[in-house]
């Protein structure tokens, strides 16, 4: 009978310590450094800078995509981005009613691409991208027409 009395308090003590140690581990994990995949990219790297440019471009394209193209006369286009040799990377169609909001963003993107090209000594194919001749609406989206 004596052994049973010693075992019950021992089991209770063991269970208490186990519960306490589990809680302590969870609190300690919260103070550990984050996994490397969760850390921000090096802000001085080419990969990081390219990702920032991609975000700006995607934001511009997303804004334009919200508008449905039903009349091509209500749309226009602008050069966007910059090749290392000079000239635009592409032309982008946008609604004329959004020109005041979009054109500064497109120009800002272009200037940032120029700076990126200089900073990282980017080389391009130097092929000249000709401006489109017109715009047409197809399935609610503006398409640039060349030639």
């Amino acid at each position: 009978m004596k052994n049973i009395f010693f075992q019950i308090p021992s089991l209770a003590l063991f269970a208490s310590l186990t519960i306490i140690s589990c809680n302590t581990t969870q609190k300690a994990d919260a103070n550990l450094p984050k996994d490397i995949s969760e850390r921000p990219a090096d802000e001085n790297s080419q990969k990081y800078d390219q990702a920032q440019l991609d975000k700006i471009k995607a934001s511009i394209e997303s804004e334009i995509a919200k508008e449905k193209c039903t009349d091509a006369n209500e749309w226009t286009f602008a050069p966007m981005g910059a090749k290392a040799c000079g000239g635009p990377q592409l032309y982008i169609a946008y609604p004329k009613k959004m020109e005041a909001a979009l054109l500064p963003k497109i120009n800002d993107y272009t200037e940032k691409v120029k700076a990126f090209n200089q900073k990282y000594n980017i080389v391009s194919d130097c092929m000249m991208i000709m401006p489109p001749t017109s715009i047409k609406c197809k399935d609610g989206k503006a398409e640039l027409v060349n030639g």
Side-chain angles (χ1 to χ4, degrees):
M1 269 321 241
K2 217 174 193 185
N3 282 343
I4 293 176
F5 290 116
F6 284 112
Q7 288 177 349
I8 292 174
S10 298
L11 286 173
L13 179 62
F14 177 75
S16 298
L17 290 175
T18 303
I19 292 170
I20 291 170
S21 68
C22 287
N23 288 339
T24 306
T25 304
Q26 289 173 350
K27 289 177 186 173
D29 287 347
N31 295 327
L32 291 175
K34 291 187 177 190
D35 184 86
I36 195 162
S37 65
E38 296 175 17
R39 292 182 188 167
D42 179 10
E43 292 185 19
N44 292 318
S45 74
Q46 184 174 348
K47 192 175 182 178
Y48 177 83
D49 289 346
Q50 182 63 58
Q52 298 308 303
L53 289 173
D54 293 344
K55 283 181 186 176
I56 295 168
K57 184 179 178 192
S59 170
I60 292 167
E61 291 171 338
S62 174
E63 241 179 285
I64 294 169
K66 292 176 186 173
E67 294 294 319
K68 194 170 188 171
C69 183
T70 54
D71 181 1
N73 292 321
E74 295 176 355
W75 288 69
T76 190
F77 59 87
M80 186 166 158
K83 288 192 167 198
C85 297
Q89 291 173 324
L90 60 110
Y91 286 86
I92 189 165
Y94 61 89
K96 289 178 182 177
K97 68 181 182 181
M98 296 176 72
E99 189 165 48
L102 285 173
L103 212 46
K105 292 177 184 182
I106 291 169
N107 292 335
D108 179 57
Y109 172 78
T110 298
E111 291 305 312
K112 287 180 178 177
V113 171
K114 286 178 184 177
F116 175 88
N117 290 344
Q118 283 186 323
K119 181 178 180 179
Y120 296 108
N121 297 314
I122 301 299
V123 178
S124 69
D125 61 12
C126 299
M127 297 244 336
M128 188 132 182
I129 306 292
M130 298 305 293
T133 54
S134 63
I135 298 172
K136 69 178 181 177
C137 294
K138 185 175 179 184
D139 298 326
K141 296 187 184 205
E143 286 187 2
L144 299 171
V145 178
N146 294 312

